[in-house]
Amino acid sequence: MGLHDIKQGDLALLGLPIDHNSSFMTGPAMGPQRMREALHCGAANLTSENGHDLGNDIRLKDLGDLHFHDTSTAIPFIEKQAEEIMATGAKLLSIGGDHSVSGPLIRAHSKRYPDLNILHFDAHSDLYDEMQGNRDSHACPFARAMETGRVKRLVQVGIRTLNKHQQEQAEKFGVEIIAMKDWHPDISVEFDGPLYVSIDLDVLDPAFAPGVSHHEPGGMSVRDLINALHRLDADLIGADIVELNPHRDLVGMTAMVAAKLTKEVSAKLLAE
Ligand code: MN
Ligand code: MN
């Protein structure tokens, strides 16, 4: 399936199999394949919890994985591909890949949607100006997104690793942070205007999602995260689910979590 198969009202699913911008370990390049395997493994049907049968919704179109010829141009390549997909009028759900993919994805969305809001679930704020000399590191995508000046609001949820540099970056960019220590299940954030959601699987406690590169104990449960997604009352226009690292996974349980989130987010993106 390609660009010519998608149109206004569709939801394009796109795999981004890269991990060369990971600062600590590789593995997330295998994420999209494992997530699709979990999604179609036959252990569960394709119906979301609100009853939306994605298996019978022809608007959900899997474009497969983006093929990267050259890692040095991967970031601008993602941005251009995202722009081309959105030019058809389809929404985009990207599955990673490490979190570096969110920089170009958010830049592309912010060009199409003025006043874009971002809701970012993560143990880490990923606001570093650079990491190990790499400005495209998976530790930096939200700095790259905010530097455009086109993002209206960035709200980060689940953060539990904020150091001084990233605190300063958050202040500089006006980022709103709901730290994990302050989060509780009744918190809901309201957004005015289009909303893009970025989910780093390490926002979850490693007990629920061991298949990530950076284990950061004390995180959300899968139930907490799904409920937070269900409660969102906003115009959801795009999303990504990133940082599945199959090398660290146990019996595919994190891949299944990622597949479950793919279903719930897809249903939300396809709801009118
Ligand atoms: Mn993270
Ligand atoms: Mn992240």
Side-chain angles (χ1 to χ4, degrees), residues 99 120-126 138 159-161 199-203 212 214 216 242-243:
H99 219 157
H120 167 208
F121 293 95
D122 204 322
H124 315 92
S125 69
D126 294 350
H138 71 158
I159 310 302
R160 47 193 188 275
T161 55
I199 302 173
D200 181 328
L201 291 166
D202 69 29
V203 73
V212 296
H214 302 262
E216 191 60 46
V242 299
E243 293 286 349

Side-chain angles (χ1 to χ4, degrees), residues 36-48 53 55 256 259-260 263:
R36 279 200 189 82
E37 284 168 9
L39 200 58
H40 300 292
C41 71
N45 62 39
L46 287 170
T47 303
S48 68
D53 183 359
M256 206 59 180
K260 170 95 176 169
K263 285 194 286 188

